[in-house]
Amino acid sequence: MNTINGKDLAAVVRGEVKVKAQRFLDEFDRKPALHVVLVGEDPASQIYVRNKKRACKRARVDSVQHLLPESTTQEELLELIARLNGDEQVDGILVQLPLPEQIDENIIIEAIDPRKDADGFHPINLGRLVAGQAGLVPCTPLGCMRMIAETGVSLVGKNAVVVGRSTIVGKPVAHLLLAEHATVTICHSRTRDLAGVISEADVLIAAVGRPEMIKGKWVKKGAVVIDVGINRLDDGTLVGDVEFEEAAQRAAWISPVPGGVGPMTIAYLLENTLTAAFARANQTG
Ligand code: NDP
């Protein structure tokens, strides 16, 4: 068994972003800029936003934070987004989710200029992904695909099983796997015989959010296992959706939690910011 070290690989991706950020600075005479909007004081969101800021700094991407009070109205948030959409110096916009209940997430996501949609959650970008067109793709799925690429295992004709059908992980990663010519199965809470489906998976992506619910003995021998789940146990330990020790006995490659997909997600947020920056800069000038 080999571990796919997301922490080290994320550092490689950040290095790649740094090179691109320098090229952007040379060509367009300014640093690429990611604007992160945080509404309220959710502690987990505050940590994510802080980590994003640190990653930007390391990759020489400008990061600007907009910290708004919990009582912010939808109109106020829409006004900020409209201002960021119209600002030529803004390359990526990310609104940290979840939002307070008075704000409709879908309305906010759709208000972001799809060309600046660093998270890749805008329906136009999701539609482009399904249609196989170039666009901004959600960061966690991109991170998963890079991890698989690093194993050197080809996806062509392989059985890929995705457990979870969310719009931010399960569905987009399934489309990326399909684009790489895997035969893709998406499982969810109503799937019958999850163990049986998983036992056929050459590549398994777990994105459920239930601690170690995927048993090691279900994993096919020689499989590539990417564990997206981040679950905090009562004693404070972080675990994934897959029983790591047991699955590691059977898998050829497996990603750990923590130190797996998590750091890759942030690295690909930066990569998306650069993709957005170059696409817009080349379009406008
Ligand atoms: P969601 O809660 O949006 O989706 C979870 C999915 O799991 C749903 O499709 C649900 O099915 C399915 N599911 C729930 N129970 C079962 C079950 N018993 N058997 C099979 N499928 C089941 O979660 P997200 O996609 O947002 O996140 C998934 C996990 O990944 C979480 O732990 C989250 O913290 C983590 N995450 C990690 C990131 C990272 O950077 N590493 C980034 C994003 C998420 P149904 O649709 O039928 O309800």
Side-chain angles (χ1 to χ4, degrees), residues 225-241:
V225 178
I226 307 290
D227 192 349
V228 181
I230 301 178
N231 309 290
R232 193 171 289 282
L233 302 180
D234 290 340
D235 66 2
T237 336
L238 279 188
V239 297
D241 289 342

Side-chain angles (χ1 to χ4, degrees), residues 48 139-140 163-170 186-191 194 206-210 213 227-231 239-241 257 260-266:
Y48 295 145
C139 311
T140 302
V163 190
R165 55 173 163 180
S166 72
T167 309
I168 62 170
V169 189
I186 307 178
C187 300
H188 46 77
S189 64
R190 318 287 171 89
T191 297
L194 187 64
V208 181
R210 286 173 178 247
M213 72 150 291
D227 192 349
V228 181
I230 301 178
N231 309 290
V239 297
D241 289 342
V257 179
V261 179
M264 293 297 288
T265 296
I266 301 192

Side-chain angles (χ1 to χ4, degrees), residues 117-122 125-126 129 136-143 167-169 172-173 176 265 268 272:
D117 172 31
D119 257 338
F121 294 166
H122 194 291
N125 282 318
L126 293 171
L129 172 62
L136 292 163
V137 175
C139 311
T140 302
L142 284 177
T167 309
I168 62 170
V169 189
V173 84
L176 293 173
T265 296
Y268 272 91
N272 270 358

